[in-house]
Amino acid sequence: MDFEKLTELIIELEVDDIADAVKEALDEEKDPFDVLNALTKGMDEVGRRYEEKDYYLTELVLAGETMKEAFTILKPALAAVDKSQEKVKIIIGTVKGDNHDIGKNILGSLLLSSGFEIYDLGMDVDEKAIVEKVKETGATIIGLSSLLTMTVEHIKTVHEALVDAGLRDKVKLIVGGAPLNMELAKRLGADDFADDAVEGIKHIKKLAGM
Ligand code: B12
């Protein structure tokens, strides 16, 4: 199973074949991170086609489904490398009003393989759920995803809810997603921003003092 084929299966929305293809690649001992890279490349192309109006909403939904299928197989392969030491706890989620979770899930898988303890709140998450989870788990980092220009303001809502709960100085807030950049992230009250999940892991490790 070569990487080009994996990229192509995402672009061609082959939801029924992708899991077997990922399995085949892993059976051939391909590096799971290279597999992830090939799949992400496919999603980038799907996004480009959508922007060019070659693909429509139906294709977007199918691409999301295809990526999810791939992830059911890939996720365990990306799983934790070192279980021995005390893990840093991190809460992840996609902000209220936003149902994009592919990027957030990729971040989650990479965090898992980097030895973090993850609490994934899913998508369309409101500030109350986040504050509650911080109280319950004592997590020290929150990673939020926002893909819609319309929903980035919810990052500020989360920041303010943490301030109100007296928790803001106990947690670091990092955000990601296409409409964001470092300047906007900081303006919304976040501590940090990263362009992609791989870069995000580096930033998160730094925030965790690792
Ligand atoms: C797939 C997709 C969908 C799927 C989502 C499926 C799913 N389960 O996620 C579906 C079909 C549901 C969807 C719906 C919609 N979508 Co859409 N979608 C996309 C698409 C094509 C790809 C997004 C994606 O998954 N990319 C791949 C992942 C891997 O990339 P990523 O999410 O950016 O994540 C990476 C980084 O950003 C970063 N990252 C992400 N989160 C975080 C968090 C942290 C902490 C860190 C450190 C890093 C990090 O790491 C990730 C990996 O490297 C994009 C176009 C694009 N090119 O991005 C449009 C796009 C995001 N969608 C868009 C729109 C408008 C919509 C709809 C409003 C369409 C409609 N008219 O209904 C709805 C919104 C529904 C809702 N309430 O959320 C627009 C947003 C425009 C904007 N700026 O506001 C885009 C940009 C398309 C476009 N060009 O118009 N969409």
Side-chain angles (χ1 to χ4, degrees), residues 16 19 21 34 69 75 110 129 135-137 145 155 157 191 203:
D16 294 330
D34 291 337
E69 280 298 310
K75 201 170 172 181
L110 295 185
K135 285 184 186 160
E136 179 196 323
T137 61
S145 191
I155 291 167
T157 315
D191 298 298
H203 286 227

Side-chain angles (χ1 to χ4, degrees), residues 40 43-44 46-48 50-51 57 60-61 64 68 97-104 106-107 123 143-150 174-179 194-198 200 204:
T40 308
M43 280 309 286
D44 287 346
V46 169
R48 201 191 60 77
Y50 181 71
E51 276 156 27
L57 204 55
L60 281 196
V61 174
K68 275 194 181 152
D98 190 336
N99 288 330
H100 294 85
D101 67 351
I102 298 167
K104 185 264 297 165
I106 291 177
L107 182 78
M123 44 195 185
L144 290 182
S145 191
S146 175
L147 269 278
L148 298 171
T149 310
M150 226 164 51
I174 178 167
V175 295
D195 254 332
D196 62 50
V198 172
I204 290 168

